[in-house]
Amino acid sequence: MTRTDNNVSFSISSVCYLIYFLLKPFYLFDSGTLQLGDFFLLISFAFLVFERRNGIRNDDYIFEVFLVCVFIINFIYFFIYQGSEFLKSCLYYVFNLIVILCFRNFMYDRKWLNALGLVCKMNLLIQLVIFLTHKGGYWEGTYRYMGTYTDPNQMGFAVVSTLAILFLLKDKWKYLFVLVAAVLIVQTSSGGMLMTLCILVGLDALIILKRSMDKGGISYTLLFIIILGIGAVMLLIMLDIIHINWDHFRISDKLNSNDSVLQGFINDRALNVAQEHPEYFIFGYGEGFSFPRYGHSEELHSTWISLCYYYGILPFCILLAWIYSNVKHIKLEMVPVYCAIFLEAFTLANHRQASFWMIILLANVCCRDDSVNEYYNQSKIEEKKSA
């Protein structure tokens, strides 16, 4: 593992990106519009282009092909329906590409990744302080807490994905921040995010226990004590000594619904138009959610299914190919992160948040086998590109 120079680690562009990620949770304007943090992303990209006069690192041609498909499909529907939302959706993906290009150029620097981990911890702690001081907001006056975000699910995903980055960075305090994340996610009453957190922590704990037992570092007696402790916590919850209002997660409503589980999922994710008009899975529906068609004006929740429906099976497969090109070398110890995030994406992918793309890209430096897990300075990158 090689260290990089300070002028690369803390260039203006890399610092601006960290500021962007720190400010990203603060929504001062309407959702879907430029926020304060987004301006720092644009500044970061501008300085990156200026600093790397010989060209910025670009290994994301597959994603760019997907982006071309996004533009073609949305522009076709824009000319048909004259709905400006189709153009707005294109801009979201342009911002996603900027995130990807910037992050790929910074992530090979170990010192910069350490700074990113610090920003992630600050984000979680700031949200906890805001909650404890009763300064955060609630969804349309309900019990669902959303902090500085505009939606409880949006906050839940941000918390889980920020925690996932700490897991990928192998932060030694990650399990302390699991507790912080759990407190915040319970307040959002997001069942999908709570399930994601349980998958992440549960699978990670199993891998740690298995490796410790193989090395003789943990006895079956200690394992029994750990299981007993978990059982005790569950018992306290069942006896209501530790109180969690499960009604807020709407579990009983979903289970007792007259609809089937599948139909309930379709209704909950606003996928009804996809159910009624499946032909758009072939050639794409376009991502213009505020423009009503077939009597449906509600936005499809951001999921794998909605992404496939928006742009059709071929562009979606191109996106999956790009994702696979990044995560194909992950190690066993990082499987819990990707299992949790990718399974959760069936209920909420939230592809407009930078952390979703950052987690995919981090597989290139945090999850590879030791033989290929290196950090390069810019000169080494240029040498490899020349070769």
Side-chain angles (χ1 to χ4, degrees):
M1 185 182 300
T2 57
R3 293 180 59 187
T4 55
D5 298 331
N6 288 339
N7 62 337
V8 175
S9 299
F10 299 101
S11 63
I12 295 176
S13 59
S14 63
V15 171
C16 286
Y17 190 93
L18 293 174
I19 296 174
Y20 154 71
F21 197 61
L22 180 65
L23 296 179
K24 185 60 180 172
F26 297 94
Y27 286 76
L28 305 179
F29 312 108
D30 292 337
S31 180
T33 60
L34 283 173
Q35 307 296 327
L36 179 61
D38 296 325
F39 288 103
F40 280 94
L41 174 63
L42 296 176
I43 294 172
S44 174
F45 183 66
F47 272 102
L48 178 64
V49 173
F50 175 77
E51 292 162 358
R52 310 285 171 87
R53 293 180 180 85
N54 295 329
I56 62 176
R57 179 178 181 133
N58 183 8
D59 299 332
D60 301 291
Y61 299 108
I62 299 177
F63 184 87
E64 289 162 7
V65 173
F66 169 71
L67 183 62
V68 170
C69 295
V70 168
F71 269 77
I72 291 174
I73 292 170
N74 281 327
F75 266 83
I76 288 174
Y77 284 112
F78 167 72
F79 288 120
I80 294 174
Y81 296 107
Q82 298 297 307
S84 61
E85 290 293 333
F86 295 109
L87 303 182
K88 189 176 180 181
S89 295
C90 292
L91 294 179
Y92 290 142
Y93 288 94
V94 172
F95 264 79
N96 290 339
L97 179 61
I98 292 174
V99 166
I100 290 169
L101 292 175
C102 287
F103 192 74
R104 189 178 288 280
N105 278 269
F106 302 144
M107 70 182 183
Y108 292 95
D109 184 337
R110 179 72 260 182
K111 292 178 66 178
W112 188 84
L113 285 181
N114 291 338
L116 175 65
L118 179 62
V119 170
C120 289
K121 288 184 277 191
M122 290 175 62
N123 274 342
L124 293 174
L125 290 176
I126 289 171
Q127 291 300 319
L128 180 64
V129 170
I130 291 173
F131 166 68
L132 294 176
T133 55
H134 306 288
K135 300 297 183 182
Y138 287 82
W139 172 250
E140 296 182 349
T142 65
Y143 52 81
R144 299 195 68 190
Y145 181 73
M146 60 184 187
T148 60
Y149 294 83
T150 59
D151 177 82
N153 290 330
Q154 182 187 57
M155 177 182 177
F157 180 84
V159 170
V160 167
S161 57
T162 301
L163 180 66
I165 291 175
L166 289 179
F167 272 70
L168 291 175
L169 297 179
K170 302 177 184 177
D171 190 275
K172 63 180 180 179
W173 299 106
K174 63 182 181 181
Y175 271 98
L176 174 62
F177 285 90
V178 165
L179 299 177
V180 176
V183 170
L184 294 173
I185 290 172
V186 167
Q187 300 307 315
T188 65
S189 300
S190 176
M193 299 307 150
L194 185 61
M195 177 189 68
T196 304
L197 181 64
C198 291
I199 293 173
L200 172 61
V201 175
L203 291 179
D204 190 66
L206 286 175
I207 291 175
I208 292 174
L209 287 172
K210 177 66 169 59
R211 288 189 171 180
S212 297
M213 292 173 65
D214 289 343
K215 295 177 180 179
I218 184 172
S219 66
Y220 284 96
T221 302
L222 182 56
L223 179 60
F224 173 76
I225 294 173
I226 293 172
I227 295 175
L228 187 64
I230 296 173
V233 173
M234 295 178 63
L235 182 62
L236 291 174
I237 293 174
M238 293 173 64
L239 295 175
D240 209 29
I241 297 174
I242 297 178
H243 181 70
I244 298 177
N245 193 336
W246 297 108
D247 290 339
H248 288 178
F249 290 90
R250 299 158 292 152
I251 296 175
S252 60
D253 292 342
K254 295 175 182 178
L255 294 177
N256 295 329
S257 173
N258 293 327
D259 297 323
S260 65
V261 174
L262 177 60
Q263 186 60 50
F265 172 79
I266 291 172
N267 296 339
D268 190 54
R269 300 294 96 183
L271 295 171
N272 305 85
V273 67
Q275 180 185 27
E276 297 168 6
H277 300 276
E279 65 273 13
Y280 286 98
F281 280 111
I282 300 174
F283 48 83
Y285 184 76
E287 193 171 354
F289 61 87
S290 292
F291 187 78
R293 275 179 285 174
Y294 305 112
H296 297 283
S297 58
E298 186 179 5
E299 179 184 11
L300 279 68
H301 284 228
S302 173
T303 62
W304 294 128
I305 299 172
S306 64
L307 283 171
C308 184
Y309 192 70
Y310 284 147
Y311 300 111
I313 187 66
L314 180 58
F316 182 67
C317 286
I318 294 173
L319 175 62
L320 292 182
W322 175 80
I323 293 173
Y324 175 75
S325 70
N326 285 279
V327 305
K328 60 185 178 182
H329 293 298
I330 60 173
K331 294 191 292 185
L332 175 64
E333 63 191 72
M334 294 304 171
V335 167
V337 172
Y338 291 95
C339 278
I341 294 299
F342 289 162
L343 286 175
E344 186 269 335
F346 282 99
T347 63
L348 186 66
N350 219 326
H351 61 279
R352 292 177 196 159
Q353 288 206 28
S355 51
F356 177 77
W357 307 103
M358 289 163 61
I359 288 171
I360 295 171
L361 290 172
L362 275 173
N364 291 281
V365 290
C366 297
C367 306
R368 289 178 179 268
D369 294 331
D370 293 335
S371 59
V372 291
N373 184 18
E374 296 183 16
Y375 296 85
Y376 305 101
N377 58 27
Q378 187 60 24
S379 62
K380 285 185 176 290
I381 292 174
E382 296 301 326
E383 289 174 8
K384 282 185 169 287
K385 288 171 67 177
S386 299

